[in-house]
Amino acid sequence: MKNLKLNTTIKSPQKGLLITALILAQLGFAQIKPDPNYKGVIGKTLADSKEYWPDPVKAPEGAPNVVWILLDDVGYGATSAFGGLINTPTFESLANNGLRYTNFHTTAICAPTRAGLLTGRNAHAVHVGGFSHTAMSAGFPGYDGRIPSSAGTIAEILRDNGYNTFAVGKYGVTPDEDATDAGPFDRWPTGKGFDHFYGFLGSETDQYNPDLVEDQTWLNGNTRLNNSGKDKSKNEFTADLKGKHLSELITDKAITYIDRQKSAAPNKPFFLYYAPGATHSPHQVAKEWSDKYKGKFDEGWDVYRDKVIANQKKLGLIPADAKLPTRDSYVKAWNTLSPDEKKLYARFMEIYAGYLEYTDYEVSRIVNHLKGINQLDNTVFYVVLGDNGASKEGTESGTIDQPLLKKLFGNNSKEADLKENLAKIDLLGTPEAIEGNYPYGWALAANTPFRNLKQDAHSEGGTRNPLIVYYPKGIKTPGIRNQYGHVIDILPTTLETVGITAPKEIRGIAQDSIQGTSLAYSYADAKAPSRHKIQYYYIFGSRALYKDGWKAAAPHHPDFIDIVDNGALAKNTGPSTYDNDVWELYNLNTDFNERVDLAKKNPEKLKELQAAFDDQAKKNNIYPFIDWQDVLKQRVHKKNK
């Protein structure tokens, strides 16, 4: 303290008081507020004092391990577990020995689904009504892409209640500007409750050269720009990862995390969030998987739809008298295609099928490993087969190595696109197929028995996905459940199942209410009435409101582009606006796949649901409406700024 000098010529009383306070603070005279949680005794000497350490946090007695599996861009009718023609024995086994939920829903695109899943709150309410990407987010509460700390994740809750928490694969809700080596890291997975993370932060990545991150370190394939505007160089991990499929890498890492944790704390439960890049584009997989399907799709997507709806009836997943909706107008009848188109399009689907079956195999490695270490019976699985409906982003003729936007806005004719793809047919599925995605005719088939596709928030085809719940210790009788569910329900369902109450605070931050509804009530009661009564949907202008089995829906196609108009993104001849969007009305209790529009017959019901949508929009930060046109204009504006 020898350098401290006192001013003895102070004339101002106010100035004197300020300096006196500063001196007292520096001399350590300021009183320290005692910790209200400390239960020991602090005396002047050790003899007068009593030591105290808080008890270590433990999970509830007998709490199971928890595994969440979320696939990408799958579609309701793709997997054999839900009547599809793609072999998925692992998902079939989990479903056959657990529960199949037939009336479960997502948001129609990836990031809002993931935000809702992780937080148990509606996507717009947690600021992820679109994406967390700079070019596709907006500076409004529902769209800025930044999940607030008041919306704690499942990982934060479970970690604070005695679980170890791991995430592997796709995260998708870290803002682009945070996703560099400079951080900040509070919106990376490790800042949102995960002890460890291994995967990619964006919406998609190359399966053989992924944008790979472990915890807070970039490993491989990072093309994000540093402050100098130059691409960051790949580091020494590149050689170790070369040639390995991302699904293999994340499965290896998940098993490593589990084994390390069980070795150190055998009785401590873990939470694993397993979210592969599959089956999002690029569709890439080894030939040994895709070649299993050679010739299997030569009959085309119309026959596929017929076969799948028949399988779904046999499994009891849909009503016995169900009928297919009319094929969406932008998809051509298979029998009208040329031989070259049929050859090319069938090969696209062979690749996709191999990609999905391979994903099922990688999941089997997790299941078999847990069985091998005697943890399978003490693990509850929640398997969501797709974060939205099957993807329309492959356009009419499919994509291979040409960037989507370049193809959409390029000068190639349809015939030129077909010729180019035929010349590159042998690239399909390989590491060179960096944009590989099937024609959207197959996406419609994969969404059987529904209409429409990914991004179509107004339709069951964009939002209904299979859910499997597998829990040997807690679900004794396998079966089918038809209760309405939404992705925000998985968090409260998990908490109720493992015996944990949602916290009022997380690390001193007051928490917003959980908006999801636990599905645990339906575990033992197939006939229990649905408890999730109302749910909005909104993506890029398309919107809907579900209430007690009724649904009002408004498809929206902006005037600049329409993602499925005339078989591709194209200029609209008759633009729609929010004011003239045509609302539809469906009674899903009697018409589960939206074949009969009742809007003209029941206008009062439609008005009731439209008013309910407006109420939900105000409560959940949906306004202002933002559609594809707005997003692309914003992207161009930022680029030119």
Side-chain angles (χ1 to χ4, degrees), residues 569-610:
L569 272 159
K571 301 239 180 192
N572 254 331
T573 55
S576 66
T577 67
Y578 298 116
D579 291 332
N580 68 15
D581 285 341
V582 178
W583 282 80
E584 304 164 353
L585 178 68
Y586 300 99
N587 183 352
L588 300 182
N589 297 308
T590 58
D591 179 26
F592 79 104
N593 58 352
E594 302 172 317
R595 297 178 62 248
V596 182
D597 181 4
L598 302 174
K600 292 182 179 178
K601 289 185 178 181
N602 200 338
E604 293 305 313
K605 190 68 176 180
L606 178 60
K607 288 180 181 179
E608 173 195 333
L609 296 187
Q610 287 174 317

mmCIF file of all heavy atoms in Angstrom, residues 569-610:
data_model
loop_
_atom_site.group_PDB
_atom_site.id
_atom_site.type_symbol
_atom_site.label_atom_id
_atom_site.label_comp_id
_atom_site.label_asym_id
_atom_site.label_seq_id
_atom_site.Cartn_x
_atom_site.Cartn_y
_atom_site.Cartn_z
ATOM 1 N N LEU A 569 -37.621 -23.790 -58.366
ATOM 2 C CA LEU A 569 -37.749 -22.408 -57.943
ATOM 3 C C LEU A 569 -37.905 -21.565 -59.206
ATOM 4 O O LEU A 569 -37.057 -21.574 -60.083
ATOM 5 C CB LEU A 569 -36.485 -21.972 -57.195
ATOM 6 C CG LEU A 569 -36.477 -22.248 -55.702
ATOM 7 C CD1 LEU A 569 -35.056 -22.259 -55.207
ATOM 8 C CD2 LEU A 569 -37.276 -21.201 -54.973
ATOM 9 N N ALA A 570 -38.962 -20.828 -59.293
ATOM 10 C CA ALA A 570 -39.226 -20.101 -60.531
ATOM 11 C C ALA A 570 -40.050 -18.866 -60.234
ATOM 12 O O ALA A 570 -40.663 -18.746 -59.187
ATOM 13 C CB ALA A 570 -39.974 -21.002 -61.514
ATOM 14 N N LYS A 571 -40.094 -17.963 -61.175
ATOM 15 C CA LYS A 571 -40.904 -16.765 -61.011
ATOM 16 C C LYS A 571 -42.381 -17.158 -60.992
ATOM 17 O O LYS A 571 -42.819 -18.001 -61.748
ATOM 18 C CB LYS A 571 -40.629 -15.810 -62.165
ATOM 19 C CG LYS A 571 -39.161 -15.420 -62.236
ATOM 20 C CD LYS A 571 -38.981 -13.947 -62.107
ATOM 21 C CE LYS A 571 -37.518 -13.594 -62.173
ATOM 22 N NZ LYS A 571 -37.258 -12.237 -61.774
ATOM 23 N N ASN A 572 -43.112 -16.555 -60.095
ATOM 24 C CA ASN A 572 -44.545 -16.800 -60.020
ATOM 25 C C ASN A 572 -45.294 -15.905 -60.996
ATOM 26 O O ASN A 572 -44.981 -14.730 -61.141
ATOM 27 C CB ASN A 572 -45.044 -16.495 -58.610
ATOM 28 C CG ASN A 572 -45.347 -17.745 -57.833
ATOM 29 O OD1 ASN A 572 -45.704 -18.759 -58.416
ATOM 30 N ND2 ASN A 572 -45.199 -17.680 -56.534
ATOM 31 N N THR A 573 -46.286 -16.451 -61.651
ATOM 32 C CA THR A 573 -47.127 -15.631 -62.509
ATOM 33 C C THR A 573 -48.238 -14.980 -61.692
ATOM 34 O O THR A 573 -48.726 -13.919 -62.047
ATOM 35 C CB THR A 573 -47.745 -16.495 -63.623
ATOM 36 O OG1 THR A 573 -48.432 -17.594 -63.028
ATOM 37 C CG2 THR A 573 -46.659 -17.034 -64.532
ATOM 38 N N GLY A 574 -48.658 -15.613 -60.636
ATOM 39 C CA GLY A 574 -49.701 -15.049 -59.779
ATOM 40 C C GLY A 574 -49.232 -14.982 -58.354
ATOM 41 O O GLY A 574 -49.466 -15.903 -57.589
ATOM 42 N N PRO A 575 -48.549 -13.885 -57.970
ATOM 43 C CA PRO A 575 -47.978 -13.805 -56.633
ATOM 44 C C PRO A 575 -49.047 -13.809 -55.549
ATOM 45 O O PRO A 575 -50.153 -13.320 -55.738
ATOM 46 C CB PRO A 575 -47.226 -12.473 -56.658
ATOM 47 C CG PRO A 575 -47.918 -11.656 -57.687
ATOM 48 C CD PRO A 575 -48.333 -12.639 -58.731
ATOM 49 N N SER A 576 -48.703 -14.407 -54.396
ATOM 50 C CA SER A 576 -49.595 -14.357 -53.252
ATOM 51 C C SER A 576 -48.988 -13.427 -52.216
ATOM 52 O O SER A 576 -47.779 -13.245 -52.148
ATOM 53 C CB SER A 576 -49.795 -15.751 -52.660
ATOM 54 O OG SER A 576 -48.586 -16.246 -52.119
ATOM 55 N N THR A 577 -49.835 -12.793 -51.453
ATOM 56 C CA THR A 577 -49.395 -11.954 -50.352
ATOM 57 C C THR A 577 -50.046 -12.494 -49.092
ATOM 58 O O THR A 577 -50.931 -13.358 -49.147
ATOM 59 C CB THR A 577 -49.816 -10.494 -50.564
ATOM 60 O OG1 THR A 577 -51.238 -10.407 -50.497
ATOM 61 C CG2 THR A 577 -49.323 -9.968 -51.908
ATOM 62 N N TYR A 578 -49.630 -11.972 -47.953
ATOM 63 C CA TYR A 578 -50.213 -12.455 -46.712
ATOM 64 C C TYR A 578 -51.712 -12.171 -46.657
ATOM 65 O O TYR A 578 -52.480 -12.935 -46.084
ATOM 66 C CB TYR A 578 -49.512 -11.797 -45.517
ATOM 67 C CG TYR A 578 -48.044 -12.143 -45.440
ATOM 68 C CD1 TYR A 578 -47.070 -11.163 -45.575
ATOM 69 C CD2 TYR A 578 -47.628 -13.458 -45.232
ATOM 70 C CE1 TYR A 578 -45.722 -11.474 -45.505
ATOM 71 C CE2 TYR A 578 -46.292 -13.782 -45.165
ATOM 72 C CZ TYR A 578 -45.339 -12.785 -45.303
ATOM 73 O OH TYR A 578 -44.009 -13.111 -45.240
ATOM 74 N N ASP A 579 -52.126 -11.087 -47.285
ATOM 75 C CA ASP A 579 -53.540 -10.731 -47.249
ATOM 76 C C ASP A 579 -54.398 -11.613 -48.140
ATOM 77 O O ASP A 579 -55.566 -11.864 -47.834
ATOM 78 C CB ASP A 579 -53.727 -9.260 -47.659
ATOM 79 C CG ASP A 579 -53.165 -8.303 -46.622
ATOM 80 O OD1 ASP A 579 -53.127 -8.679 -45.434
ATOM 81 O OD2 ASP A 579 -52.755 -7.194 -47.006
ATOM 82 N N ASN A 580 -53.835 -12.086 -49.256
ATOM 83 C CA ASN A 580 -54.672 -12.900 -50.146
ATOM 84 C C ASN A 580 -54.312 -14.393 -50.107
ATOM 85 O O ASN A 580 -54.810 -15.157 -50.933
ATOM 86 C CB ASN A 580 -54.645 -12.368 -51.575
ATOM 87 C CG ASN A 580 -53.284 -12.529 -52.257
ATOM 88 O OD1 ASN A 580 -52.426 -13.272 -51.782
ATOM 89 N ND2 ASN A 580 -53.089 -11.827 -53.359
ATOM 90 N N ASP A 581 -53.461 -14.795 -49.182
ATOM 91 C CA ASP A 581 -53.231 -16.226 -49.003
ATOM 92 C C ASP A 581 -54.572 -16.915 -48.719
ATOM 93 O O ASP A 581 -55.383 -16.432 -47.926
ATOM 94 C CB ASP A 581 -52.281 -16.489 -47.827
ATOM 95 C CG ASP A 581 -50.838 -16.157 -48.156
ATOM 96 O OD1 ASP A 581 -50.500 -16.065 -49.349
ATOM 97 O OD2 ASP A 581 -50.047 -15.994 -47.203
ATOM 98 N N VAL A 582 -54.789 -18.046 -49.336
ATOM 99 C CA VAL A 582 -56.065 -18.758 -49.194
ATOM 100 C C VAL A 582 -55.966 -19.757 -48.049
ATOM 101 O O VAL A 582 -55.157 -20.690 -48.087
ATOM 102 C CB VAL A 582 -56.435 -19.479 -50.505
ATOM 103 C CG1 VAL A 582 -57.737 -20.252 -50.330
ATOM 104 C CG2 VAL A 582 -56.558 -18.475 -51.652
ATOM 105 N N TRP A 583 -56.806 -19.574 -47.043
ATOM 106 C CA TRP A 583 -56.810 -20.471 -45.887
ATOM 107 C C TRP A 583 -57.619 -21.730 -46.184
ATOM 108 O O TRP A 583 -58.638 -21.692 -46.876
ATOM 109 C CB TRP A 583 -57.406 -19.766 -44.668
ATOM 110 C CG TRP A 583 -56.458 -18.813 -44.007
ATOM 111 C CD1 TRP A 583 -56.161 -17.551 -44.402
ATOM 112 C CD2 TRP A 583 -55.673 -19.070 -42.835
ATOM 113 N NE1 TRP A 583 -55.239 -16.983 -43.554
ATOM 114 C CE2 TRP A 583 -54.923 -17.899 -42.575
ATOM 115 C CE3 TRP A 583 -55.523 -20.150 -41.980
ATOM 116 C CZ2 TRP A 583 -54.051 -17.787 -41.503
ATOM 117 C CZ3 TRP A 583 -54.662 -20.048 -40.898
ATOM 118 C CH2 TRP A 583 -53.935 -18.879 -40.670
ATOM 119 N N GLU A 584 -57.129 -22.846 -45.644
ATOM 120 C CA GLU A 584 -57.805 -24.132 -45.753
ATOM 121 C C GLU A 584 -58.202 -24.593 -44.354
ATOM 122 O O GLU A 584 -57.648 -24.122 -43.357
ATOM 123 C CB GLU A 584 -56.869 -25.159 -46.405
ATOM 124 C CG GLU A 584 -56.352 -24.725 -47.771
ATOM 125 C CD GLU A 584 -55.139 -25.537 -48.236
ATOM 126 O OE1 GLU A 584 -54.627 -26.353 -47.435
ATOM 127 O OE2 GLU A 584 -54.682 -25.317 -49.372
ATOM 128 N N LEU A 585 -59.130 -25.516 -44.282
ATOM 129 C CA LEU A 585 -59.601 -26.028 -42.989
ATOM 130 C C LEU A 585 -59.770 -27.540 -43.059
ATOM 131 O O LEU A 585 -60.387 -28.051 -43.998
ATOM 132 C CB LEU A 585 -60.938 -25.376 -42.621
ATOM 133 C CG LEU A 585 -61.578 -25.850 -41.302
ATOM 134 C CD1 LEU A 585 -60.749 -25.400 -40.102
ATOM 135 C CD2 LEU A 585 -63.014 -25.330 -41.192
ATOM 136 N N TYR A 586 -59.205 -28.234 -42.074
ATOM 137 C CA TYR A 586 -59.288 -29.691 -42.053
ATOM 138 C C TYR A 586 -59.687 -30.185 -40.668
ATOM 139 O O TYR A 586 -59.254 -29.634 -39.650
ATOM 140 C CB TYR A 586 -57.944 -30.316 -42.433
ATOM 141 C CG TYR A 586 -57.484 -29.925 -43.820
ATOM 142 C CD1 TYR A 586 -56.553 -28.898 -43.994
ATOM 143 C CD2 TYR A 586 -58.005 -30.550 -44.940
ATOM 144 C CE1 TYR A 586 -56.134 -28.517 -45.256
ATOM 145 C CE2 TYR A 586 -57.594 -30.176 -46.212
ATOM 146 C CZ TYR A 586 -56.668 -29.164 -46.361
ATOM 147 O OH TYR A 586 -56.271 -28.782 -47.623
ATOM 148 N N ASN A 587 -60.500 -31.224 -40.657
ATOM 149 C CA ASN A 587 -60.817 -31.940 -39.424
ATOM 150 C C ASN A 587 -59.935 -33.181 -39.390
ATOM 151 O O ASN A 587 -60.250 -34.197 -40.005
ATOM 152 C CB ASN A 587 -62.291 -32.322 -39.376
ATOM 153 C CG ASN A 587 -62.668 -33.003 -38.072
ATOM 154 O OD1 ASN A 587 -61.804 -33.334 -37.254
ATOM 155 N ND2 ASN A 587 -63.957 -33.212 -37.866
ATOM 156 N N LEU A 588 -58.803 -33.085 -38.694
ATOM 157 C CA LEU A 588 -57.846 -34.191 -38.687
ATOM 158 C C LEU A 588 -58.376 -35.404 -37.938
ATOM 159 O O LEU A 588 -57.831 -36.507 -38.079
ATOM 160 C CB LEU A 588 -56.523 -33.724 -38.080
ATOM 161 C CG LEU A 588 -55.818 -32.574 -38.797
ATOM 162 C CD1 LEU A 588 -54.491 -32.251 -38.111
ATOM 163 C CD2 LEU A 588 -55.591 -32.890 -40.262
ATOM 164 N N ASN A 589 -59.419 -35.231 -37.142
ATOM 165 C CA ASN A 589 -60.004 -36.377 -36.446
ATOM 166 C C ASN A 589 -60.613 -37.371 -37.428
ATOM 167 O O ASN A 589 -60.638 -38.581 -37.166
ATOM 168 C CB ASN A 589 -61.092 -35.897 -35.466
ATOM 169 C CG ASN A 589 -60.525 -35.015 -34.376
ATOM 170 O OD1 ASN A 589 -59.570 -35.377 -33.706
ATOM 171 N ND2 ASN A 589 -61.112 -33.834 -34.202
ATOM 172 N N THR A 590 -61.107 -36.868 -38.534
ATOM 173 C CA THR A 590 -61.733 -37.731 -39.539
ATOM 174 C C THR A 590 -60.997 -37.725 -40.872
ATOM 175 O O THR A 590 -61.317 -38.513 -41.761
ATOM 176 C CB THR A 590 -63.194 -37.282 -39.783
ATOM 177 O OG1 THR A 590 -63.194 -35.910 -40.205
ATOM 178 C CG2 THR A 590 -64.012 -37.411 -38.504
ATOM 179 N N ASP A 591 -60.021 -36.838 -41.003
ATOM 180 C CA ASP A 591 -59.308 -36.653 -42.279
ATOM 181 C C ASP A 591 -57.834 -36.363 -41.955
ATOM 182 O O ASP A 591 -57.345 -35.263 -42.147
ATOM 183 C CB ASP A 591 -59.950 -35.490 -43.048
ATOM 184 C CG ASP A 591 -59.272 -35.182 -44.374
ATOM 185 O OD1 ASP A 591 -58.661 -36.104 -44.958
ATOM 186 O OD2 ASP A 591 -59.341 -34.013 -44.813
ATOM 187 N N PHE A 592 -57.125 -37.398 -41.483
ATOM 188 C CA PHE A 592 -55.791 -37.207 -40.909
ATOM 189 C C PHE A 592 -54.771 -36.693 -41.919
ATOM 190 O O PHE A 592 -53.784 -36.058 -41.545
ATOM 191 C CB PHE A 592 -55.285 -38.510 -40.283
ATOM 192 C CG PHE A 592 -54.751 -39.496 -41.287
ATOM 193 C CD1 PHE A 592 -53.391 -39.678 -41.432
ATOM 194 C CD2 PHE A 592 -55.603 -40.229 -42.101
ATOM 195 C CE1 PHE A 592 -52.873 -40.577 -42.354
ATOM 196 C CE2 PHE A 592 -55.115 -41.127 -43.024
ATOM 197 C CZ PHE A 592 -53.739 -41.302 -43.155
ATOM 198 N N ASN A 593 -54.967 -36.980 -43.221
ATOM 199 C CA ASN A 593 -53.972 -36.536 -44.213
ATOM 200 C C ASN A 593 -54.505 -35.454 -45.148
ATOM 201 O O ASN A 593 -54.049 -35.310 -46.276
ATOM 202 C CB ASN A 593 -53.398 -37.720 -44.995
ATOM 203 C CG ASN A 593 -54.444 -38.538 -45.716
ATOM 204 O OD1 ASN A 593 -55.648 -38.346 -45.542
ATOM 205 N ND2 ASN A 593 -53.991 -39.471 -46.545
ATOM 206 N N GLU A 594 -55.439 -34.671 -44.651
ATOM 207 C CA GLU A 594 -55.825 -33.401 -45.266
ATOM 208 C C GLU A 594 -56.270 -33.533 -46.726
ATOM 209 O O GLU A 594 -55.783 -32.842 -47.615
ATOM 210 C CB GLU A 594 -54.660 -32.399 -45.173
ATOM 211 C CG GLU A 594 -54.206 -32.142 -43.747
ATOM 212 C CD GLU A 594 -52.944 -31.309 -43.662
ATOM 213 O OE1 GLU A 594 -52.009 -31.571 -44.467
ATOM 214 O OE2 GLU A 594 -52.875 -30.423 -42.814
ATOM 215 N N ARG A 595 -57.254 -34.364 -46.947
ATOM 216 C CA ARG A 595 -57.766 -34.551 -48.304
ATOM 217 C C ARG A 595 -58.997 -33.684 -48.598
ATOM 218 O O ARG A 595 -59.271 -33.381 -49.754
ATOM 219 C CB ARG A 595 -58.109 -36.029 -48.538
ATOM 220 C CG ARG A 595 -56.899 -36.962 -48.458
ATOM 221 C CD ARG A 595 -57.277 -38.427 -48.657
ATOM 222 N NE ARG A 595 -57.840 -38.660 -49.967
ATOM 223 C CZ ARG A 595 -59.111 -38.994 -50.195
ATOM 224 N NH1 ARG A 595 -59.958 -39.122 -49.180
ATOM 225 N NH2 ARG A 595 -59.537 -39.194 -51.429
ATOM 226 N N VAL A 596 -59.728 -33.287 -47.539
ATOM 227 C CA VAL A 596 -61.002 -32.585 -47.746
ATOM 228 C C VAL A 596 -60.965 -31.218 -47.067
ATOM 229 O O VAL A 596 -60.972 -31.118 -45.833
ATOM 230 C CB VAL A 596 -62.185 -33.404 -47.191
ATOM 231 C CG1 VAL A 596 -63.502 -32.668 -47.466
ATOM 232 C CG2 VAL A 596 -62.215 -34.804 -47.797
ATOM 233 N N ASP A 597 -60.922 -30.160 -47.860
ATOM 234 C CA ASP A 597 -60.885 -28.789 -47.352
ATOM 235 C C ASP A 597 -62.304 -28.356 -46.978
ATOM 236 O O ASP A 597 -63.203 -28.317 -47.826
ATOM 237 C CB ASP A 597 -60.301 -27.870 -48.429
ATOM 238 C CG ASP A 597 -60.209 -26.416 -47.984
ATOM 239 O OD1 ASP A 597 -60.523 -26.120 -46.819
ATOM 240 O OD2 ASP A 597 -59.803 -25.582 -48.821
ATOM 241 N N LEU A 598 -62.508 -28.001 -45.702
ATOM 242 C CA LEU A 598 -63.828 -27.633 -45.193
ATOM 243 C C LEU A 598 -64.002 -26.126 -45.008
ATOM 244 O O LEU A 598 -64.956 -25.688 -44.372
ATOM 245 C CB LEU A 598 -64.075 -28.339 -43.845
ATOM 246 C CG LEU A 598 -64.003 -29.862 -43.864
ATOM 247 C CD1 LEU A 598 -64.128 -30.406 -42.439
ATOM 248 C CD2 LEU A 598 -65.085 -30.449 -44.753
ATOM 249 N N ALA A 599 -63.085 -25.340 -45.543
ATOM 250 C CA ALA A 599 -63.107 -23.896 -45.291
ATOM 251 C C ALA A 599 -64.427 -23.248 -45.734
ATOM 252 O O ALA A 599 -64.975 -22.401 -45.020
ATOM 253 C CB ALA A 599 -61.932 -23.228 -45.988
ATOM 254 N N LYS A 600 -64.940 -23.612 -46.878
ATOM 255 C CA LYS A 600 -66.171 -22.996 -47.379
ATOM 256 C C LYS A 600 -67.398 -23.525 -46.644
ATOM 257 O O LYS A 600 -68.392 -22.798 -46.477
ATOM 258 C CB LYS A 600 -66.296 -23.243 -48.877
ATOM 259 C CG LYS A 600 -65.248 -22.508 -49.709
ATOM 260 C CD LYS A 600 -65.446 -22.740 -51.195
ATOM 261 C CE LYS A 600 -64.391 -21.975 -52.006
ATOM 262 N NZ LYS A 600 -64.535 -22.221 -53.472
ATOM 263 N N LYS A 601 -67.328 -24.767 -46.175
ATOM 264 C CA LYS A 601 -68.471 -25.354 -45.490
ATOM 265 C C LYS A 601 -68.556 -24.914 -44.025
ATOM 266 O O LYS A 601 -69.646 -24.937 -43.437
ATOM 267 C CB LYS A 601 -68.395 -26.891 -45.555
ATOM 268 C CG LYS A 601 -68.660 -27.466 -46.927
ATOM 269 C CD LYS A 601 -68.690 -28.990 -46.871
ATOM 270 C CE LYS A 601 -69.016 -29.587 -48.236
ATOM 271 N NZ LYS A 601 -69.070 -31.077 -48.191
ATOM 272 N N ASN A 602 -67.427 -24.540 -43.454
ATOM 273 C CA ASN A 602 -67.419 -24.218 -42.025
ATOM 274 C C ASN A 602 -66.622 -22.938 -41.779
ATOM 275 O O ASN A 602 -65.576 -22.951 -41.129
ATOM 276 C CB ASN A 602 -66.824 -25.383 -41.230
ATOM 277 C CG ASN A 602 -67.212 -25.348 -39.773
ATOM 278 O OD1 ASN A 602 -67.579 -24.295 -39.241
ATOM 279 N ND2 ASN A 602 -67.112 -26.486 -39.102
ATOM 280 N N PRO A 603 -67.099 -21.800 -42.302
ATOM 281 C CA PRO A 603 -66.338 -20.556 -42.175
ATOM 282 C C PRO A 603 -66.178 -20.092 -40.732
ATOM 283 O O PRO A 603 -65.187 -19.437 -40.401
ATOM 284 C CB PRO A 603 -67.155 -19.566 -43.005
ATOM 285 C CG PRO A 603 -68.544 -20.128 -43.034
ATOM 286 C CD PRO A 603 -68.367 -21.611 -43.053
ATOM 287 N N GLU A 604 -67.143 -20.385 -39.867
ATOM 288 C CA GLU A 604 -67.043 -19.950 -38.475
ATOM 289 C C GLU A 604 -65.894 -20.652 -37.757
ATOM 290 O O GLU A 604 -65.163 -20.042 -36.974
ATOM 291 C CB GLU A 604 -68.367 -20.200 -37.744
ATOM 292 C CG GLU A 604 -69.514 -19.337 -38.239
ATOM 293 C CD GLU A 604 -69.170 -17.855 -38.186
ATOM 294 O OE1 GLU A 604 -68.652 -17.397 -37.137
ATOM 295 O OE2 GLU A 604 -69.395 -17.159 -39.196
ATOM 296 N N LYS A 605 -65.732 -21.940 -38.028
ATOM 297 C CA LYS A 605 -64.610 -22.677 -37.432
ATOM 298 C C LYS A 605 -63.298 -22.113 -37.936
ATOM 299 O O LYS A 605 -62.325 -21.978 -37.170
ATOM 300 C CB LYS A 605 -64.719 -24.166 -37.770
ATOM 301 C CG LYS A 605 -63.734 -25.047 -37.010
ATOM 302 C CD LYS A 605 -64.069 -25.081 -35.526
ATOM 303 C CE LYS A 605 -63.179 -26.025 -34.753
ATOM 304 N NZ LYS A 605 -63.516 -26.061 -33.314
ATOM 305 N N LEU A 606 -63.245 -21.790 -39.205
ATOM 306 C CA LEU A 606 -62.030 -21.214 -39.770
ATOM 307 C C LEU A 606 -61.692 -19.893 -39.087
ATOM 308 O O LEU A 606 -60.540 -19.642 -38.714
ATOM 309 C CB LEU A 606 -62.196 -21.010 -41.277
ATOM 310 C CG LEU A 606 -61.010 -20.367 -42.001
ATOM 311 C CD1 LEU A 606 -59.746 -21.212 -41.843
ATOM 312 C CD2 LEU A 606 -61.324 -20.163 -43.483
ATOM 313 N N LYS A 607 -62.676 -19.042 -38.899
ATOM 314 C CA LYS A 607 -62.443 -17.762 -38.234
ATOM 315 C C LYS A 607 -61.938 -17.966 -36.808
ATOM 316 O O LYS A 607 -61.058 -17.232 -36.328
ATOM 317 C CB LYS A 607 -63.729 -16.932 -38.221
ATOM 318 C CG LYS A 607 -64.118 -16.374 -39.583
ATOM 319 C CD LYS A 607 -65.410 -15.559 -39.476
ATOM 320 C CE LYS A 607 -65.822 -15.011 -40.832
ATOM 321 N NZ LYS A 607 -67.107 -14.236 -40.741
ATOM 322 N N GLU A 608 -62.501 -18.936 -36.122
ATOM 323 C CA GLU A 608 -62.070 -19.244 -34.751
ATOM 324 C C GLU A 608 -60.588 -19.615 -34.716
ATOM 325 O O GLU A 608 -59.822 -19.124 -33.874
ATOM 326 C CB GLU A 608 -62.908 -20.399 -34.197
ATOM 327 C CG GLU A 608 -62.439 -20.917 -32.843
ATOM 328 C CD GLU A 608 -63.041 -22.267 -32.497
ATOM 329 O OE1 GLU A 608 -64.147 -22.582 -32.981
ATOM 330 O OE2 GLU A 608 -62.390 -23.033 -31.732
ATOM 331 N N LEU A 609 -60.175 -20.450 -35.640
ATOM 332 C CA LEU A 609 -58.785 -20.889 -35.649
ATOM 333 C C LEU A 609 -57.849 -19.785 -36.149
ATOM 334 O O LEU A 609 -56.708 -19.681 -35.700
ATOM 335 C CB LEU A 609 -58.635 -22.142 -36.517
ATOM 336 C CG LEU A 609 -59.383 -23.382 -36.022
ATOM 337 C CD1 LEU A 609 -59.025 -24.599 -36.872
ATOM 338 C CD2 LEU A 609 -59.091 -23.677 -34.565
ATOM 339 N N GLN A 610 -58.309 -18.955 -37.072
ATOM 340 C CA GLN A 610 -57.492 -17.819 -37.514
ATOM 341 C C GLN A 610 -57.239 -16.855 -36.356
ATOM 342 O O GLN A 610 -56.126 -16.343 -36.195
ATOM 343 C CB GLN A 610 -58.186 -17.096 -38.663
ATOM 344 C CG GLN A 610 -58.154 -17.848 -39.978
ATOM 345 C CD GLN A 610 -58.979 -17.163 -41.054
ATOM 346 O OE1 GLN A 610 -60.099 -16.694 -40.781
ATOM 347 N NE2 GLN A 610 -58.452 -17.087 -42.265
#
